Amino acid sequence: MTITHDRLDATFAALADPTRRAIVARLARGDATVNELAEPFAMTLPGISKHLKVLERCGLISRTRQAQFRPCHLEAGGLDSAVSWIEENRRIWSERFDKLDEHLRDIQTATASTKGRARR
Amino acid sequence: MTITHDRLDATFAALADPTRRAIVARLARGDATVNELAEPFAMTLPGISKHLKVLERCGLISRTRQAQFRPCHLEAGGLDSAVSWIEENRRIWSERFDKLDEHLRDIQTATASTKGRARR
């Protein structure tokens, strides 16, 4: 993986805040300006801007430089590294249990065949 | 979804630290004691214990109460809410682009048929 620890730190930290998650969820539905994003929250524009800067720094959103409008755009690819990290560790974890299941089945088969021979 | 904001906040915040991610990755491979977990890190046992408490509070790990051994166990289900949240928003985002693609194809088909009629 080429993703640095810093990038994963920043992405997970960005997602650890409910307002930032709500902004990501809003932008998943379509681009929006800072004013549009601020509307549903009881927050000042500078407050929302601070959250946008956090999301922008970790590459989760981008902003065009169109004068005062500057619509925010979700860079959904920014979520890839976070999902990859989680999925990779869930895969390793579940493979461990698959192996344990396999091992238990082998033991059961061996026990059954030993019992079979003993009965004959 | 029944997962509270607080739980998602705590899970993402827990994953925002490289040492805690390394602990989760280690436990995905198998249960381990605090001493075993501390070994690869240049950290004191109380330092590792602090990280374990963070992981335990958000339900990512559990610890049995076996005297001094107390092996730590990854509760991989604790990662589900985080993955669900990300996947849901990636799905909404990609459906938006699917709809855009569909709309563009409709426009192209309409334009082609108009041109076809004009030529006849």
Side-chain angles (χ1 to χ4, degrees):
Chain A
M1 243 207 281
T2 54
I3 302 296
T4 61
H5 271 316
D6 292 351
R7 182 63 172 272
L8 270 177
D9 289 4
T11 304
F12 282 126
L15 295 176
D17 180 275
T19 305
R20 287 195 292 267
R21 284 199 305 279
I23 292 172
V24 168
R26 167 61 189 84
L27 293 177
R29 288 175 165 78
D31 296 359
T33 62
V34 180
N35 281 317
E36 286 168 335
L37 290 171
E39 227 175 58
F41 304 105
M43 275 191 106
T44 59
L45 284 185
I48 287 288
S49 285
K50 258 189 199 169
H51 285 306
L52 293 177
K53 266 179 206 144
V54 174
L55 292 168
E56 206 173 10
R57 264 201 301 273
C58 71
L60 275 172
I61 69 162
S62 60
R63 285 193 270 185
T64 51
R65 304 285 157 201
Q66 292 177 334
Q68 73 267 46
F69 297 113
R70 301 186 67 198
C72 301
H73 173 79
L74 178 66
E75 298 292 341
L79 296 167
D80 290 351
S81 58
V83 169
S84 298
W85 187 88
I86 297 178
E87 290 295 8
E88 171 69 5
N89 285 290
R90 287 213 299 189
R91 189 186 56 74
I92 293 166
W93 185 85
S94 78
E95 275 176 9
R96 186 155 66 91
F97 285 93
D98 289 348
K99 270 182 201 153
L100 190 66
D101 269 355
E102 211 174 287
H103 183 63
L104 287 175
R105 268 198 304 276
D106 286 350
I107 291 173
Q108 281 173 339
T109 313
T111 313
S113 92
T114 309
K115 277 183 185 163
R117 271 200 303 275
R119 266 191 224 110
R120 260 182 255 139
Chain B
M1 242 208 281
T2 53
I3 303 297
T4 61
H5 272 315
D6 292 351
R7 182 63 172 273
L8 270 177
D9 289 3
T11 304
F12 282 126
L15 296 175
D17 180 275
T19 304
R20 286 195 293 266
R21 284 199 304 279
I23 291 172
V24 168
R26 166 64 188 83
L27 293 177
R29 289 175 164 78
D31 296 359
T33 62
V34 181
N35 281 317
E36 285 167 335
L37 289 171
E39 226 175 58
F41 303 105
M43 276 190 104
T44 59
L45 284 186
I48 287 288
S49 284
K50 259 190 199 169
H51 284 306
L52 293 177
K53 265 178 207 145
V54 173
L55 291 168
E56 205 174 11
R57 264 201 302 271
C58 70
L60 275 171
I61 70 164
S62 59
R63 287 192 270 186
T64 50
R65 306 283 157 202
Q66 292 177 335
Q68 73 268 46
F69 296 113
R70 301 186 69 199
C72 302
H73 173 79
L74 178 65
E75 298 291 342
L79 294 168
D80 290 351
S81 59
V83 168
S84 298
W85 186 89
I86 297 178
E87 290 296 8
E88 170 70 4
N89 285 289
R90 287 213 299 188
R91 189 187 55 75
I92 293 165
W93 184 87
S94 79
E95 275 176 8
R96 187 156 64 92
F97 284 93
D98 289 348
K99 271 184 201 151
L100 191 65
D101 270 354
E102 211 176 288
H103 183 62
L104 287 175
R105 267 198 304 277
D106 286 349
I107 290 174
Q108 282 172 339
T109 313
T111 313
S113 93
T114 309
K115 277 184 186 164
R117 272 201 302 275
R119 264 191 224 108
R120 259 181 255 139

mmCIF file of all heavy atoms in Angstrom, chain A residues 53-90:
data_model
loop_
_atom_site.group_PDB
_atom_site.id
_atom_site.type_symbol
_atom_site.label_atom_id
_atom_site.label_comp_id
_atom_site.label_asym_id
_atom_site.label_seq_id
_atom_site.Cartn_x
_atom_site.Cartn_y
_atom_site.Cartn_z
ATOM 1 N N LYS A 53 -11.951 22.832 5.774
ATOM 2 C CA LYS A 53 -10.475 22.814 5.645
ATOM 3 C C LYS A 53 -9.916 21.450 6.066
ATOM 4 O O LYS A 53 -9.005 20.932 5.443
ATOM 5 C CB LYS A 53 -9.855 23.944 6.482
ATOM 6 C CG LYS A 53 -9.632 25.192 5.635
ATOM 7 C CD LYS A 53 -9.035 26.319 6.439
ATOM 8 C CE LYS A 53 -9.420 27.637 5.783
ATOM 9 N NZ LYS A 53 -9.684 28.714 6.744
ATOM 10 N N VAL A 54 -10.467 20.884 7.142
ATOM 11 C CA VAL A 54 -10.028 19.553 7.610
ATOM 12 C C VAL A 54 -10.297 18.512 6.520
ATOM 13 O O VAL A 54 -9.438 17.688 6.199
ATOM 14 C CB VAL A 54 -10.748 19.165 8.935
ATOM 15 C CG1 VAL A 54 -10.419 17.732 9.334
ATOM 16 C CG2 VAL A 54 -10.376 20.122 10.059
ATOM 17 N N LEU A 55 -11.505 18.578 5.942
ATOM 18 C CA LEU A 55 -11.884 17.607 4.889
ATOM 19 C C LEU A 55 -11.051 17.810 3.628
ATOM 20 O O LEU A 55 -10.723 16.842 2.928
ATOM 21 C CB LEU A 55 -13.378 17.752 4.561
ATOM 22 C CG LEU A 55 -14.351 17.325 5.660
ATOM 23 C CD1 LEU A 55 -15.769 17.783 5.344
ATOM 24 C CD2 LEU A 55 -14.320 15.805 5.849
ATOM 25 N N GLU A 56 -10.698 19.056 3.336
ATOM 26 C CA GLU A 56 -9.909 19.376 2.139
ATOM 27 C C GLU A 56 -8.456 18.896 2.317
ATOM 28 O O GLU A 56 -7.883 18.320 1.391
ATOM 29 C CB GLU A 56 -9.935 20.890 1.914
ATOM 30 C CG GLU A 56 -9.716 21.287 0.468
ATOM 31 C CD GLU A 56 -9.914 22.788 0.254
ATOM 32 O OE1 GLU A 56 -10.041 23.554 1.259
ATOM 33 O OE2 GLU A 56 -9.926 23.198 -0.916
ATOM 34 N N ARG A 57 -7.920 19.111 3.522
ATOM 35 C CA ARG A 57 -6.518 18.728 3.782
ATOM 36 C C ARG A 57 -6.303 17.232 3.602
ATOM 37 O O ARG A 57 -5.257 16.806 3.146
ATOM 38 C CB ARG A 57 -6.105 19.133 5.206
ATOM 39 C CG ARG A 57 -5.394 20.466 5.264
ATOM 40 C CD ARG A 57 -4.558 20.589 6.545
ATOM 41 N NE ARG A 57 -5.366 20.452 7.755
ATOM 42 C CZ ARG A 57 -5.992 21.471 8.351
ATOM 43 N NH1 ARG A 57 -5.916 22.672 7.857
ATOM 44 N NH2 ARG A 57 -6.687 21.271 9.442
ATOM 45 N N CYS A 58 -7.296 16.399 3.967
ATOM 46 C CA CYS A 58 -7.087 14.950 3.848
ATOM 47 C C CYS A 58 -7.606 14.427 2.505
ATOM 48 O O CYS A 58 -7.668 13.217 2.298
ATOM 49 C CB CYS A 58 -7.686 14.202 5.040
ATOM 50 S SG CYS A 58 -9.470 14.195 5.045
ATOM 51 N N GLY A 59 -7.984 15.356 1.622
ATOM 52 C CA GLY A 59 -8.345 14.957 0.258
ATOM 53 C C GLY A 59 -9.752 14.407 0.113
ATOM 54 O O GLY A 59 -10.088 13.815 -0.910
ATOM 55 N N LEU A 60 -10.602 14.597 1.150
ATOM 56 C CA LEU A 60 -11.978 14.083 1.046
ATOM 57 C C LEU A 60 -12.890 15.002 0.238
ATOM 58 O O LEU A 60 -13.891 14.547 -0.312
ATOM 59 C CB LEU A 60 -12.576 13.850 2.432
ATOM 60 C CG LEU A 60 -12.253 12.508 3.074
ATOM 61 C CD1 LEU A 60 -12.731 12.450 4.515
ATOM 62 C CD2 LEU A 60 -12.893 11.371 2.291
ATOM 63 N N ILE A 61 -12.539 16.300 0.222
ATOM 64 C CA ILE A 61 -13.325 17.209 -0.628
ATOM 65 C C ILE A 61 -12.370 18.110 -1.401
ATOM 66 O O ILE A 61 -11.190 18.241 -1.042
ATOM 67 C CB ILE A 61 -14.319 18.093 0.180
ATOM 68 C CG1 ILE A 61 -13.570 19.125 1.038
ATOM 69 C CG2 ILE A 61 -15.246 17.260 1.032
ATOM 70 C CD1 ILE A 61 -14.466 20.274 1.505
ATOM 71 N N SER A 62 -12.881 18.700 -2.485
ATOM 72 C CA SER A 62 -12.108 19.709 -3.218
ATOM 73 C C SER A 62 -13.021 20.908 -3.434
ATOM 74 O O SER A 62 -14.252 20.786 -3.361
ATOM 75 C CB SER A 62 -11.621 19.141 -4.547
ATOM 76 O OG SER A 62 -12.727 18.755 -5.331
ATOM 77 N N ARG A 63 -12.402 22.081 -3.644
ATOM 78 C CA ARG A 63 -13.211 23.280 -3.883
ATOM 79 C C ARG A 63 -12.711 23.990 -5.127
ATOM 80 O O ARG A 63 -11.496 24.163 -5.287
ATOM 81 C CB ARG A 63 -13.118 24.228 -2.679
ATOM 82 C CG ARG A 63 -13.928 23.712 -1.527
ATOM 83 C CD ARG A 63 -14.117 24.745 -0.460
ATOM 84 N NE ARG A 63 -13.036 24.680 0.521
ATOM 85 C CZ ARG A 63 -13.022 25.428 1.628
ATOM 86 N NH1 ARG A 63 -13.991 26.286 1.855
ATOM 87 N NH2 ARG A 63 -12.032 25.323 2.494
ATOM 88 N N THR A 64 -13.621 24.358 -5.986
ATOM 89 C CA THR A 64 -13.207 25.113 -7.169
ATOM 90 C C THR A 64 -13.023 26.569 -6.752
ATOM 91 O O THR A 64 -13.525 26.982 -5.702
ATOM 92 C CB THR A 64 -14.277 25.016 -8.280
ATOM 93 O OG1 THR A 64 -15.533 25.361 -7.719
ATOM 94 C CG2 THR A 64 -14.333 23.611 -8.859
ATOM 95 N N ARG A 65 -12.264 27.310 -7.556
ATOM 96 C CA ARG A 65 -11.943 28.689 -7.169
ATOM 97 C C ARG A 65 -12.859 29.706 -7.845
ATOM 98 O O ARG A 65 -12.423 30.715 -8.344
ATOM 99 C CB ARG A 65 -10.469 28.986 -7.500
ATOM 100 C CG ARG A 65 -9.469 28.033 -6.885
ATOM 101 C CD ARG A 65 -9.263 28.282 -5.393
ATOM 102 N NE ARG A 65 -8.750 27.069 -4.722
ATOM 103 C CZ ARG A 65 -8.845 26.828 -3.424
ATOM 104 N NH1 ARG A 65 -9.441 27.682 -2.625
ATOM 105 N NH2 ARG A 65 -8.361 25.726 -2.901
ATOM 106 N N GLN A 66 -14.173 29.408 -7.914
ATOM 107 C CA GLN A 66 -15.117 30.309 -8.578
ATOM 108 C C GLN A 66 -15.593 31.429 -7.662
ATOM 109 O O GLN A 66 -16.663 31.329 -7.061
ATOM 110 C CB GLN A 66 -16.355 29.531 -9.040
ATOM 111 C CG GLN A 66 -16.074 28.551 -10.170
ATOM 112 C CD GLN A 66 -17.347 27.782 -10.500
ATOM 113 O OE1 GLN A 66 -18.212 27.613 -9.658
ATOM 114 N NE2 GLN A 66 -17.449 27.305 -11.727
ATOM 115 N N ALA A 67 -14.830 32.494 -7.576
ATOM 116 C CA ALA A 67 -15.172 33.684 -6.772
ATOM 117 C C ALA A 67 -15.871 33.303 -5.463
ATOM 118 O O ALA A 67 -15.393 32.421 -4.747
ATOM 119 C CB ALA A 67 -16.039 34.636 -7.587
ATOM 120 N N GLN A 68 -17.036 33.914 -5.163
ATOM 121 C CA GLN A 68 -17.661 33.666 -3.860
ATOM 122 C C GLN A 68 -18.445 32.359 -3.787
ATOM 123 O O GLN A 68 -18.846 31.953 -2.704
ATOM 124 C CB GLN A 68 -18.552 34.850 -3.416
ATOM 125 C CG GLN A 68 -19.878 35.006 -4.167
ATOM 126 C CD GLN A 68 -19.760 35.959 -5.351
ATOM 127 O OE1 GLN A 68 -18.798 35.859 -6.146
ATOM 128 N NE2 GLN A 68 -20.703 36.859 -5.485
ATOM 129 N N PHE A 69 -18.699 31.711 -4.927
ATOM 130 C CA PHE A 69 -19.512 30.494 -4.891
ATOM 131 C C PHE A 69 -18.712 29.271 -4.414
ATOM 132 O O PHE A 69 -19.108 28.611 -3.499
ATOM 133 C CB PHE A 69 -20.187 30.243 -6.249
ATOM 134 C CG PHE A 69 -21.151 31.342 -6.602
ATOM 135 C CD1 PHE A 69 -20.904 32.189 -7.681
ATOM 136 C CD2 PHE A 69 -22.281 31.554 -5.832
ATOM 137 C CE1 PHE A 69 -21.784 33.228 -7.964
ATOM 138 C CE2 PHE A 69 -23.171 32.583 -6.124
ATOM 139 C CZ PHE A 69 -22.914 33.425 -7.199
ATOM 140 N N ARG A 70 -17.574 29.045 -5.037
ATOM 141 C CA ARG A 70 -16.687 27.951 -4.648
ATOM 142 C C ARG A 70 -17.428 26.679 -4.203
ATOM 143 O O ARG A 70 -17.342 26.296 -3.017
ATOM 144 C CB ARG A 70 -15.743 28.385 -3.519
ATOM 145 C CG ARG A 70 -14.872 29.567 -3.877
ATOM 146 C CD ARG A 70 -13.882 29.855 -2.793
ATOM 147 N NE ARG A 70 -12.902 28.787 -2.663
ATOM 148 C CZ ARG A 70 -12.149 28.598 -1.611
ATOM 149 N NH1 ARG A 70 -12.278 29.356 -0.573
ATOM 150 N NH2 ARG A 70 -11.281 27.617 -1.579
ATOM 151 N N PRO A 71 -18.116 26.007 -5.092
ATOM 152 C CA PRO A 71 -18.818 24.797 -4.643
ATOM 153 C C PRO A 71 -17.863 23.711 -4.151
ATOM 154 O O PRO A 71 -16.753 23.560 -4.676
ATOM 155 C CB PRO A 71 -19.584 24.332 -5.881
ATOM 156 C CG PRO A 71 -18.939 24.992 -7.024
ATOM 157 C CD PRO A 71 -18.298 26.257 -6.524
ATOM 158 N N CYS A 72 -18.290 23.013 -3.123
ATOM 159 C CA CYS A 72 -17.479 21.918 -2.564
ATOM 160 C C CYS A 72 -17.886 20.623 -3.251
ATOM 161 O O CYS A 72 -19.073 20.386 -3.506
ATOM 162 C CB CYS A 72 -17.741 21.779 -1.076
ATOM 163 S SG CYS A 72 -17.363 23.284 -0.187
ATOM 164 N N HIS A 73 -16.912 19.794 -3.493
ATOM 165 C CA HIS A 73 -17.135 18.547 -4.234
ATOM 166 C C HIS A 73 -16.532 17.384 -3.444
ATOM 167 O O HIS A 73 -15.394 17.469 -2.981
ATOM 168 C CB HIS A 73 -16.455 18.701 -5.606
ATOM 169 C CG HIS A 73 -16.450 17.448 -6.421
ATOM 170 N ND1 HIS A 73 -17.557 17.034 -7.125
ATOM 171 C CD2 HIS A 73 -15.478 16.524 -6.639
ATOM 172 C CE1 HIS A 73 -17.253 15.897 -7.749
ATOM 173 N NE2 HIS A 73 -16.000 15.562 -7.465
ATOM 174 N N LEU A 74 -17.307 16.300 -3.289
ATOM 175 C CA LEU A 74 -16.779 15.139 -2.571
ATOM 176 C C LEU A 74 -15.815 14.361 -3.463
ATOM 177 O O LEU A 74 -16.148 14.033 -4.603
ATOM 178 C CB LEU A 74 -17.934 14.218 -2.143
ATOM 179 C CG LEU A 74 -17.501 12.922 -1.423
ATOM 180 C CD1 LEU A 74 -16.852 13.224 -0.084
ATOM 181 C CD2 LEU A 74 -18.691 11.994 -1.225
ATOM 182 N N GLU A 75 -14.631 14.094 -2.944
ATOM 183 C CA GLU A 75 -13.680 13.240 -3.655
ATOM 184 C C GLU A 75 -13.819 11.849 -3.043
ATOM 185 O O GLU A 75 -13.093 11.502 -2.111
ATOM 186 C CB GLU A 75 -12.241 13.770 -3.502
ATOM 187 C CG GLU A 75 -11.985 15.153 -4.081
ATOM 188 C CD GLU A 75 -12.057 15.185 -5.614
ATOM 189 O OE1 GLU A 75 -11.947 14.124 -6.253
ATOM 190 O OE2 GLU A 75 -12.260 16.281 -6.166
ATOM 191 N N ALA A 76 -14.788 11.075 -3.560
ATOM 192 C CA ALA A 76 -15.118 9.799 -2.926
ATOM 193 C C ALA A 76 -13.918 8.849 -2.874
ATOM 194 O O ALA A 76 -13.837 7.987 -2.007
ATOM 195 C CB ALA A 76 -16.295 9.142 -3.629
ATOM 196 N N GLY A 77 -12.962 9.040 -3.798
ATOM 197 C CA GLY A 77 -11.743 8.227 -3.792
ATOM 198 C C GLY A 77 -10.955 8.404 -2.496
ATOM 199 O O GLY A 77 -10.192 7.525 -2.107
ATOM 200 N N GLY A 78 -11.166 9.537 -1.830
ATOM 201 C CA GLY A 78 -10.489 9.809 -0.564
ATOM 202 C C GLY A 78 -10.909 8.826 0.527
ATOM 203 O O GLY A 78 -10.212 8.674 1.536
ATOM 204 N N LEU A 79 -12.068 8.171 0.314
ATOM 205 C CA LEU A 79 -12.557 7.197 1.299
ATOM 206 C C LEU A 79 -11.945 5.813 1.063
ATOM 207 O O LEU A 79 -12.002 4.944 1.939
ATOM 208 C CB LEU A 79 -14.086 7.088 1.225
ATOM 209 C CG LEU A 79 -14.890 8.336 1.590
ATOM 210 C CD1 LEU A 79 -16.350 8.178 1.168
ATOM 211 C CD2 LEU A 79 -14.826 8.581 3.093
ATOM 212 N N ASP A 80 -11.352 5.621 -0.135
ATOM 213 C CA ASP A 80 -10.839 4.297 -0.509
ATOM 214 C C ASP A 80 -9.819 3.736 0.479
ATOM 215 O O ASP A 80 -9.882 2.567 0.855
ATOM 216 C CB ASP A 80 -10.201 4.336 -1.911
ATOM 217 C CG ASP A 80 -11.245 4.530 -2.997
ATOM 218 O OD1 ASP A 80 -12.443 4.456 -2.687
ATOM 219 O OD2 ASP A 80 -10.850 4.765 -4.154
ATOM 220 N N SER A 81 -8.845 4.590 0.877
ATOM 221 C CA SER A 81 -7.778 4.085 1.747
ATOM 222 C C SER A 81 -8.344 3.615 3.079
ATOM 223 O O SER A 81 -7.928 2.590 3.622
ATOM 224 C CB SER A 81 -6.710 5.160 1.971
ATOM 225 O OG SER A 81 -7.309 6.309 2.529
ATOM 226 N N ALA A 82 -9.340 4.379 3.604
ATOM 227 C CA ALA A 82 -9.947 4.020 4.890
ATOM 228 C C ALA A 82 -10.683 2.674 4.767
ATOM 229 O O ALA A 82 -10.506 1.792 5.610
ATOM 230 C CB ALA A 82 -10.900 5.113 5.346
ATOM 231 N N VAL A 83 -11.479 2.525 3.694
ATOM 232 C CA VAL A 83 -12.207 1.271 3.494
ATOM 233 C C VAL A 83 -11.231 0.113 3.287
ATOM 234 O O VAL A 83 -11.397 -0.958 3.855
ATOM 235 C CB VAL A 83 -13.183 1.371 2.298
ATOM 236 C CG1 VAL A 83 -13.722 0.005 1.929
ATOM 237 C CG2 VAL A 83 -14.344 2.285 2.637
ATOM 238 N N SER A 84 -10.185 0.341 2.456
ATOM 239 C CA SER A 84 -9.203 -0.722 2.185
ATOM 240 C C SER A 84 -8.567 -1.209 3.481
ATOM 241 O O SER A 84 -8.419 -2.409 3.692
ATOM 242 C CB SER A 84 -8.078 -0.220 1.283
ATOM 243 O OG SER A 84 -8.600 0.171 0.064
ATOM 244 N N TRP A 85 -8.181 -0.263 4.328
ATOM 245 C CA TRP A 85 -7.523 -0.647 5.580
ATOM 246 C C TRP A 85 -8.447 -1.529 6.429
ATOM 247 O O TRP A 85 -8.043 -2.585 6.911
ATOM 248 C CB TRP A 85 -7.077 0.592 6.379
ATOM 249 C CG TRP A 85 -6.270 0.186 7.569
ATOM 250 C CD1 TRP A 85 -4.916 -0.009 7.611
ATOM 251 C CD2 TRP A 85 -6.778 -0.173 8.860
ATOM 252 N NE1 TRP A 85 -4.556 -0.457 8.857
ATOM 253 C CE2 TRP A 85 -5.663 -0.562 9.634
ATOM 254 C CE3 TRP A 85 -8.037 -0.197 9.425
ATOM 255 C CZ2 TRP A 85 -5.796 -0.968 10.960
ATOM 256 C CZ3 TRP A 85 -8.166 -0.614 10.739
ATOM 257 C CH2 TRP A 85 -7.052 -0.980 11.496
ATOM 258 N N ILE A 86 -9.709 -1.078 6.593
ATOM 259 C CA ILE A 86 -10.670 -1.843 7.412
ATOM 260 C C ILE A 86 -10.934 -3.213 6.791
ATOM 261 O O ILE A 86 -10.881 -4.238 7.472
ATOM 262 C CB ILE A 86 -11.995 -1.071 7.599
ATOM 263 C CG1 ILE A 86 -11.762 0.233 8.371
ATOM 264 C CG2 ILE A 86 -13.012 -1.939 8.348
ATOM 265 C CD1 ILE A 86 -13.020 1.088 8.554
ATOM 266 N N GLU A 87 -11.205 -3.225 5.462
ATOM 267 C CA GLU A 87 -11.547 -4.485 4.782
ATOM 268 C C GLU A 87 -10.405 -5.502 4.871
ATOM 269 O O GLU A 87 -10.637 -6.689 5.074
ATOM 270 C CB GLU A 87 -11.918 -4.233 3.308
ATOM 271 C CG GLU A 87 -13.236 -3.506 3.106
ATOM 272 C CD GLU A 87 -14.455 -4.294 3.578
ATOM 273 O OE1 GLU A 87 -14.308 -5.354 4.196
ATOM 274 O OE2 GLU A 87 -15.575 -3.796 3.333
ATOM 275 N N GLU A 88 -9.173 -5.028 4.693
ATOM 276 C CA GLU A 88 -7.992 -5.897 4.766
ATOM 277 C C GLU A 88 -7.918 -6.588 6.130
ATOM 278 O O GLU A 88 -7.699 -7.792 6.220
ATOM 279 C CB GLU A 88 -6.726 -5.051 4.521
ATOM 280 C CG GLU A 88 -5.392 -5.746 4.780
ATOM 281 C CD GLU A 88 -5.079 -6.838 3.765
ATOM 282 O OE1 GLU A 88 -5.861 -6.989 2.807
ATOM 283 O OE2 GLU A 88 -4.066 -7.536 3.943
ATOM 284 N N ASN A 89 -8.160 -5.844 7.197
ATOM 285 C CA ASN A 89 -8.065 -6.428 8.530
ATOM 286 C C ASN A 89 -9.259 -7.314 8.868
ATOM 287 O O ASN A 89 -9.112 -8.307 9.583
ATOM 288 C CB ASN A 89 -7.837 -5.330 9.575
ATOM 289 C CG ASN A 89 -6.414 -4.834 9.509
ATOM 290 O OD1 ASN A 89 -5.477 -5.539 9.874
ATOM 291 N ND2 ASN A 89 -6.225 -3.645 8.952
ATOM 292 N N ARG A 90 -10.431 -6.975 8.317
ATOM 293 C CA ARG A 90 -11.587 -7.871 8.505
ATOM 294 C C ARG A 90 -11.349 -9.187 7.765
ATOM 295 O O ARG A 90 -11.756 -10.243 8.229
ATOM 296 C CB ARG A 90 -12.875 -7.207 7.975
ATOM 297 C CG ARG A 90 -13.363 -6.100 8.876
ATOM 298 C CD ARG A 90 -14.867 -5.995 8.889
ATOM 299 N NE ARG A 90 -15.428 -5.703 7.576
ATOM 300 C CZ ARG A 90 -16.700 -5.401 7.386
ATOM 301 N NH1 ARG A 90 -17.519 -5.357 8.411
ATOM 302 N NH2 ARG A 90 -17.159 -5.137 6.194
#
